[in-house]
Amino acid sequence: MRADRLVAVLLFLQARGRVTAAEVAAELEVSERTARRDLEALSIAGIPVYSQAGRGGGWSLVGGARTDLTGLTAGESRALFLAAGPSSATPELRSALRKMVRALPSTLRSDAEAASKAGVADSTDWSGTALTAGASHLEALQRAVVDGVQVRLGYTGPGRPAGERTVHPLGLAAKAGLDYLVAGTENGLRTFRLDRVTSVEATDGRAVRPEGFDLATAWRTLAARMEDRMLAATVRARAGHGTEQILQGLFGGRLRTGRTLSDGWTEIEVDGPSPEVVAAQLAGLGARVEVLEPPAARERLARLASELAAVYGPPAGG
C-alpha cells in the first residue's frame, strides 16, 4: 500500500532529521526512484518536506515538523488501523483510532479510514453459540494485569463444578480463537481459559511477578505443555472409503494416514489426550472406522455401544 509506505517515509524523516533518497530506498527496500517519488508526494500533499541539493544535502522536515504518530513504524500503524476497526472493538479503542486518523496528513486519511473498516469480528458460530463466553471478564482481567493485583477467580474445568482460587494475573494470550489468562498460582504458572471463568474479583493483594518474567516466553512453555497433553495418546484404526475428509476435519494435524489395505480400507493413527477421548470422537463414524488398539479405546467404544443400544435399541420383546 502506498499510503502505508508514505507513513513510513514520514516517520523515517522524523527520526533522522535529514535523509537522502538512497537512505529511504534502503530503509523501505524500494528503488531509489520510488523513494524520490514518495518524498515528492509528501511535499505535494502539503507536508513541510523540502530537498537541498549538493554535498551534505537531502530531504528534511521544515523546522523539524513532527507527526503525532511518533515512534510507530508503518507496519505498526497499519496494524493498529486494521485491529481497531472491527465493530466489536471497545469504545476506547475506536476513540484512539479516530485520534490517530486525525493525526495523519489529510491525503492519507482516506486510506487509514478504509483500513479501519476493512474487518469485522463475529464472536458467534453458525449455531448462534458465543465463542467468547468469557469476554465479559476480559476487561476485569486486563485491568488486574495492568494494576498488578491478585484476583479471586471463579473457574470451572471440564466435568468439574465451579470453584474459586486466588491467582496472580501476569498476562493474556489468544490461541485458536480462545483467550487465556496466564497467572501465578501456589503450584506455579498456569493458564486459565476465559470461557471457563465464572467470576473475577480484585483483591487488595499485590500480584507477585516472577523475576525476569517474559509473557511470550512463558506462554510458549505453557502452550507446549498443553499440546503435549493433547497428544499424549495414539489410537490405531482402519477407515473405510469416503471417510478421509471427515477424519481430516475432525482431527487435522493429529491424523496420520498409512497404507491402503487389500479391502480398500486405510490404516490411520490419531493422537489425542487419551484413548477414551479419541474413541469417543471416532464413535460418530460408526462402522466406517474400526479401532484396532489400544484396548482402552476399544473398551470405550464397546461401552458407548451398549449405552446407545440401551437407549435407542428396540424395546425388549419387540
Side-chain angles (χ1 to χ4, degrees):
M1 291 177 61
R2 193 183 188 209
D4 184 55
R5 201 172 65 239
L6 291 177
V7 172
V9 174
L10 184 57
L11 293 172
F12 189 52
L13 270 167
Q14 182 176 296
R16 297 285 293 273
R18 183 187 297 273
V19 299
T20 66
E23 289 172 335
V24 173
E27 175 71 15
L28 273 62
E29 298 181 348
V30 296
S31 69
E32 193 169 330
R33 181 180 179 183
T34 297
R36 190 172 289 105
R37 279 205 307 264
D38 288 345
L39 287 161
E40 291 169 350
L42 288 174
S43 180
I44 294 171
I47 297 171
V49 177
Y50 75 98
S51 65
Q52 181 176 342
R55 186 181 180 87
W59 294 78
S60 304
L61 285 169
V62 176
R66 301 179 70 80
T67 170
D68 289 341
L69 293 178
T70 304
L72 288 179
T73 66
E76 289 168 343
S77 62
R78 179 179 174 188
L80 282 170
F81 288 131
L82 289 168
S87 58
S88 61
T90 64
E92 293 83 2
L93 197 56
R94 290 197 296 271
S95 174
L97 174 70
R98 287 193 294 271
K99 291 176 182 177
M100 287 185 67
V101 170
R102 286 197 297 271
L104 283 171
S106 59
T107 53
L108 306 183
R109 286 176 195 161
S110 60
D111 284 329
E113 288 169 345
S116 73
K117 299 171 183 176
V120 63
D122 188 346
S123 63
T124 59
D125 65 15
W126 293 110
S127 66
T129 303
L131 294 177
T132 53
S136 59
H137 302 299
L138 178 60
E139 186 176 346
L141 288 171
Q142 288 173 328
R143 189 162 54 248
V145 170
V146 173
D147 293 344
V149 298
Q150 297 179 41
V151 298
R152 271 189 293 275
L153 198 69
Y155 195 74
T156 178
R160 294 183 229 162
E164 276 195 351
R165 66 196 78 187
T166 300
V167 302
H168 303 252
L170 300 173
L172 293 151
K175 182 178 177 67
L178 293 171
D179 292 319
Y180 295 84
L181 169 70
V182 176
T185 72
E186 58 185 11
N187 296 316
L189 292 180
R190 294 289 185 272
T191 59
F192 300 89
R193 272 176 51 168
L194 262 63
D195 61 345
R196 294 176 182 164
V197 172
T198 58
S199 63
V200 177
E201 181 183 353
T203 72
D204 295 330
R206 299 300 301 171
V208 177
R209 199 174 188 84
E211 186 176 352
F213 175 81
D214 176 71
L215 179 60
T217 301
W219 172 252
R220 284 194 295 269
T221 301
L222 293 165
R225 290 180 195 165
M226 288 190 286
E227 288 168 5
D228 287 343
R229 289 196 296 270
M230 289 298 296
L231 305 175
T234 299
V235 170
R236 287 187 58 248
R238 61 191 208 112
H241 180 69
T243 59
E244 296 87 351
Q245 285 189 331
I246 300 173
L247 288 166
Q248 189 64 44
L250 278 173
F251 302 108
R254 294 188 289 136
L255 170 72
R256 293 182 297 280
T257 57
R259 62 193 178 100
T260 300
L261 305 173
S262 58
D263 58 4
W265 285 46
T266 302
E267 291 181 335
I268 64 169
E269 289 185 348
V270 180
D271 297 327
S274 71
E276 292 81 2
V277 168
V278 176
Q281 292 174 314
L282 288 170
L285 281 84
R288 289 184 289 173
V289 171
E290 180 187 359
V291 169
L292 303 175
E293 57 181 14
R298 292 178 61 88
E299 291 164 7
R300 174 61 171 154
L301 284 170
R303 288 196 302 273
L304 285 172
S306 296
E307 292 168 7
L308 292 169
V311 175
Y312 299 106

